[in-house]
Amino acid sequence: IVRCPVYVHERAGDLHGFYGLDGSPPVGELAYVFVEPEWIGHGFGRGLVVHALGVARSLGYRELLVESDPGAEGFYRAMGADRIGERASDIAPGRMLPVLRFTL
């Protein structure tokens, strides 16, 4: 939160999810994407990503990278991201995380 802007989706005081943008144009990272489990499937994740892509474009980003949970890769690909590789998890030895790119 200190080093990158964080955006929150809330309604009537209920937090549904949030994301952060990190990096410097032209390449940034969509970081800290989270939707409260009871709100998954209600469109809040899609809304957060659409908002993030718009904000990133307005800030001059040309690409936005996502280091994804493997279970969320299909979501990001459905939103238009392309898989460009994978990275080893910092917290789970032996676990590989897909790396995806949104071209803005």
Side-chain angles (χ1 to χ4, degrees):
I1 291 175
V2 172
R3 74 169 208 257
C4 66
V6 173
Y7 298 85
V8 175
H9 185 283
E10 66 89 21
R11 187 175 293 159
D14 291 330
L15 175 67
H16 296 131
F18 63 90
Y19 74 88
L21 289 176
D22 202 0
S24 301
V27 179
E29 182 178 357
L30 179 56
Y32 314 114
V33 179
F34 177 79
V35 174
E36 287 286 350
E38 66 266 24
W39 295 110
I40 292 173
H42 293 269
F44 296 118
R46 178 173 296 279
L48 287 168
V49 171
V50 167
H51 187 268
L53 298 176
V55 170
R57 276 187 206 96
S58 74
L59 294 173
Y61 290 92
R62 300 277 189 244
E63 295 181 349
L64 208 53
L65 304 178
V66 180
E67 189 174 292
S68 174
D69 180 279
E73 180 179 4
F75 167 76
Y76 290 115
R77 293 187 65 160
M79 294 291 302
D82 296 310
R83 184 181 179 136
I84 59 170
E86 60 184 17
R87 291 187 187 143
S89 169
D90 293 334
I91 57 174
R95 185 173 192 221
M96 298 304 289
L97 304 175
V99 178
L100 301 113
R101 175 180 53 217
F102 287 98
T103 302
L104 308 174

